[in-house]
């Protein structure tokens, strides 16, 4: 179960990091066609990799938490972060990705596109930070790091 949880968490984190970095790079250095392609790829296959990996990581994490006890509050910290990560993803990141893909594919790279893009980047950065903290605490739970 630990291996499944770890792999799912790594896949989810890599997806969010890839989406974030791709968005920043394509906005800074890419053409309109590159922006359209990036937004399309984030939706498909991106979201169809990300969403299941978050579900598997979250559900396997809850199963593992029952077997680990409190462990100095590390599990409680992870449990507190997960609802925010999930809600941020479902209520902000997924709708932003769908909107941005739709607008980009229809040539709508105007002001509203960039406002929503900024919201998506901020929400993505927050989720990356929280996923990173969960990963750090997970490593501590399995004695991968001593701090």
């Amino acid at each position: 179960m630990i291996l499944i949880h770890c792999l799912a968490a790594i896949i989810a984190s890599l997806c969010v990091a890839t989406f974030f970095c791709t968005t920043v790079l394509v906005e800074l250095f890419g053409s309109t066609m590159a922006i359209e392609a990036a937004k399309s790829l984030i939706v498909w296959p991106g979201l169809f990799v990300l969403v299941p990996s978050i579900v598997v990581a979250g559900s396997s994490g809850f199963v593992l938490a029952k077997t680990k006890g409190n462990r100095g509050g590390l599990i409680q910290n992870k449990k507190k972060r997960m609802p925010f990560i999930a809600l941020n993803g479902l209520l902000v990141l997924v709708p932003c990705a769908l909107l941005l893909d739709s607008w980009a594919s229809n040539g709508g790279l105007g002001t509203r596109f960039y406002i929503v893009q900024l919201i998506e980047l901020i929400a993505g950065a927050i989720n990356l930070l929280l996923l990173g903290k969960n990963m750090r605490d997970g490593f501590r739970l399995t004695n991968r790091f001593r701090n």
Side-chain angles (χ1 to χ4, degrees):
M1 182 65 70
I2 290 175
L3 181 61
I4 291 169
H5 179 70
C6 185
L7 287 174
I10 288 170
I11 290 168
S13 298
L14 286 174
C15 282
V16 174
T18 300
F19 299 168
F20 185 89
C21 291
T22 299
T23 295
V24 170
L25 291 173
V26 80
E27 290 294 342
L28 291 175
F29 305 111
S31 65
T32 300
M33 286 179 48
I35 294 170
E36 291 172 15
K39 294 299 154 194
S40 178
L41 289 169
I42 286 171
V43 170
W44 174 256
L47 292 180
F48 293 93
V49 174
L50 174 63
V51 172
S53 66
I54 288 177
V55 170
V56 170
S59 58
S60 60
F62 281 111
V63 170
L64 287 169
K66 292 179 183 177
T67 65
K68 292 287 184 186
N70 189 9
R71 300 288 299 260
L74 293 174
I75 290 173
Q76 292 305 322
N77 290 340
K78 289 178 66 126
K79 282 184 175 180
K80 287 178 187 174
R81 288 184 206 114
M82 279 311 298
F84 186 81
I85 292 168
L87 289 174
N88 189 26
L90 290 174
L91 300 179
V92 180
L93 292 172
V94 170
C96 284
L98 294 171
L99 270 176
L100 293 169
D101 177 40
S102 175
W103 291 341
S105 66
N106 293 316
L109 298 181
T111 303
R112 69 180 180 171
F113 178 90
Y114 289 105
I115 290 170
V116 172
Q117 182 68 81
L118 181 61
I119 292 167
E120 183 187 50
L121 286 171
I122 292 167
I126 290 168
N127 264 15
L128 271 176
L129 176 69
L130 295 174
L131 287 166
K133 287 183 175 198
N134 272 6
M135 193 173 288
R136 177 203 62 204
D137 288 349
F139 285 140
R140 287 179 177 166
L141 282 166
T142 59
N143 294 317
R144 298 269 194 267
F145 294 125
R146 299 285 178 208
N147 293 337

